[in-house]
């Protein structure tokens, strides 16, 4: 019995030691982002990453007392890049969905925004249901929840997918699309630009959690639960001390949390 007890204690000790060996001390956190989704993440004229996502990530890293290193990655490869350890977390306005949670884990949401259709100001579209959009050409960014929603529900429309949201907007402004579907906050910013003067919102906000999740979260690898906990703690801290509100106000005249 004594030998069994000693063996059990030894195994527990080994388990603790193994856990300690596996635990990572985070001094540098590599942040993956797209850099093509203004005002959330984009490159300015000097080639520097800017935007709401970038400012939030920097604030979180400050609270965690780690160095932030940003890595730009095309959207359609952003989750594979995380799994391949190209970076440690994705801060890129990624909606938390059940499908994505099969591959990665997420922090608490750090903002929420519905989807909405946008169309030329002279559009004849009054009904944005699948029936009302029958025969219409609708654009969206590929590998997004908006693309998934259109492909699942708008079978009688022609769905055109683009690498970036900027390309969707450009084709809409050029008259090559009847409408587009995207994040309302992103379209809100674009409609204020010179090119965006062509267009307007049509239809109601679309919030179905089956496709659009519960908000945008920070994606991490499933094994990095310590990093997830650090990010969640830091998020609570920037919400409590006014840092989040200050960043929010810089980009939007209303709260997006």
């Amino acid at each position: 019995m004594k030998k069994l007890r000693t063996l059990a204690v030894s195994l527990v000790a080994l388990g603790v030691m193994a856990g300690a060996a596996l635990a990572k001390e985070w001094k540098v956190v590599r942040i993956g982002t797209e850099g093509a989704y203004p005002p959330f993440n984009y490159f300015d004229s000097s080639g520097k990453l800017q935007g709401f996502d970038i400012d939030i990530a920097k604030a979180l890293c400050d609270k965690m007392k780690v160095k932030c290193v940003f890595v730009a990655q095309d959207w359609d490869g952003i989750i594979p890049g995380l799994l391949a350890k190209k970076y440690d977390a994705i801060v890129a306005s990624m909606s938390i969905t059940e499908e994505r949670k099969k591959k990665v884990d997420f922090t608490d949401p750090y903002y929420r925004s519905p989807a909405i259709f946008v169309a030329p100001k002279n559009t004849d579209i009054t009904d944005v249901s699948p029936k009302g959009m029958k025969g219409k050409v609708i654009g969206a960014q590929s590998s997004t929840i908006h693309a998934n929603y259109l492909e699942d529900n708008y079978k009688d429309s022609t769905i055109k997918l683009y690498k970036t949201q900027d390309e969707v907007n450009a084709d809409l402004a050029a008259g090559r699309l009847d409408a587009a579907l995207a994040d309302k906050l992103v379209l809100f910013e674009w409609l204020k630009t010179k090119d965006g003067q062509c267009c307007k919102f049509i239809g109601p906000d679309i919030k179905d959690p089956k496709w659009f999740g519960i908000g945008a979260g920070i994606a991490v690898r499933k094994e990095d639960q310590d990093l997830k906990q650090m990010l969640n703690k830091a998020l609570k801290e920037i919400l409590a001390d006014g840092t989040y509100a200050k960043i929010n106000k810089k980009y939007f005249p209303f709260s997006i949390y």
Side-chain angles (χ1 to χ4, degrees), residues 18-31:
L22 291 172
K24 181 173 180 177
E25 183 180 358
W26 294 93
K27 293 183 178 180
V28 177
V29 176
R30 297 164 300 161
I31 305 292

Side-chain angles (χ1 to χ4, degrees), residues 74-183:
D74 288 346
W75 181 257
D76 56 4
I78 205 162
I79 287 180
L82 175 67
L83 299 178
K85 299 189 176 181
K86 186 176 180 179
Y87 30 81
D88 305 303
I90 297 172
V91 187
S93 295
M94 181 172 283
S95 295
I96 302 167
T97 65
E98 292 303 316
E99 187 64 28
R100 287 172 177 155
K101 284 165 68 175
K102 294 176 183 177
K103 298 178 180 178
V104 298
D105 209 349
F106 284 95
T107 64
D108 297 334
Y110 67 99
Y111 82 83
R112 296 169 174 83
S113 178
I116 196 167
F117 282 102
V118 64
K121 287 181 176 177
N122 63 354
T123 184
D124 61 356
I125 299 172
T126 57
D127 177 5
V128 298
S129 70
K131 182 179 179 180
M133 298 284 265
K134 182 179 180 180
K136 301 296 185 183
V137 181
I138 311 172
Q141 184 179 4
S142 62
S143 302
T144 63
I145 54 177
H146 308 100
N148 294 341
Y149 181 76
L150 290 175
E151 291 179 325
D152 288 348
N153 295 285
Y154 287 73
K155 305 291 188 181
D156 294 324
S157 300
T158 299
I159 309 303
K160 292 187 67 176
L161 302 181
Y162 300 77
K163 189 174 182 180
T164 69
Q165 186 60 41
D166 284 343
E167 292 173 331
V168 181
N169 297 344
D171 258 17
L172 182 63
R176 290 186 282 269
L177 295 172
D178 294 308
L181 183 70
D183 183 283

Side-chain angles (χ1 to χ4, degrees), residues 51-65 68 91 107-111 216 218 229-249 255-257:
F52 178 85
D53 287 331
I54 309 306
D55 288 355
I56 289 293
K58 288 178 178 178
L60 294 175
C61 287
D62 285 346
K63 291 294 184 185
M64 295 188 298
K65 294 180 171 55
C68 263
V91 187
T107 64
D108 297 334
Y110 67 99
Y111 82 83
I218 299 169
Q229 291 170 11
M230 289 168 62
L231 287 163
N232 276 334
K233 180 175 181 290
L235 178 58
K236 288 182 173 67
E237 289 173 352
I238 67 170
L239 284 164
D241 70 8
T243 302
Y244 184 99
K246 184 177 179 180
I247 296 171
N248 190 136
K249 187 176 180 181
S255 174
I256 68 170
Y257 183 73

